[in-house]
Amino acid sequence: MSKTEKRSLALIALIYAATLIYSFVVNFSDRTINTRFNMTFVAILCPLIVPALFKLFKWKPVSEIYIINLIFCYFASLIGSCLGGYSVPYFDKVVHFGFGFCGIEIAYLLYMILKRSSKLDSLQEWHIFLVFVNAVNTALAVYWEFYEYAMLIFFNNDAINHYTSGVHDTITDMLVCVAGGLVVTGFLISAKRSGKDNFFIRLPQKFYDLNLAHRNG
């Protein structure tokens, strides 16, 4: 990482830590919202998942991925679950829409890891790639709803609004996540047609160049 990237990551981590401490204080003092207090412990663990995966697979850190991870966890876990963000109208939908952006990029990385190459060799493979990344993104949206359902069953934390909206919340969450993925797909198609890379192309390529290119020859 460059010095600028390290400073940016450190600043975001500092903001995250300060907000986390604030959340602990506020939720500990108000015992009527014990669920939020309990979720602060989840907010500690969430940002560590991506760095743990990088350590596990011995990948070199990619600053953009670490920054996106922190920002997403900040809103999805810390603000949303610990500080009542999900009670704000449409906050939940915005978070799931944003996850669609991340989901396509995760699928892009997975495609390169499985293929052991960052190149798409033909128009036919390009079409297969587009189907793959959107299928994986949709699967991730479903798995997230499985997680929220498990929170309801095992901890009585109604993250899916089961008692108030039935399946409506679950279905709309998946829909906006898929919609977010389709937006990123549009950027990928635009880059393909114009021959000019954009952020959604450069980020997976940077990960590949740092961590996979030398392994795959």
Side-chain angles (χ1 to χ4, degrees), residues 85-86 88-97 144-145 148 159 161 169 172-173 176:
Y86 289 122
V88 176
Y90 303 111
F91 180 90
D92 182 43
K93 306 312 171 193
V94 172
V95 170
H96 281 277
F97 184 79
W144 182 260
E145 295 306 313
E148 291 192 344
N161 296 315
D169 183 73
T172 51
D173 284 351
V176 294

Side-chain angles (χ1 to χ4, degrees), residues 57-60 116 208 210-217:
F57 291 102
K58 299 180 180 179
W59 292 332
K60 295 178 182 178
R116 300 190 176 189
Y208 181 86
L210 280 175
N211 296 292
L212 301 176
H214 65 285
R215 298 183 185 181
N216 300 332

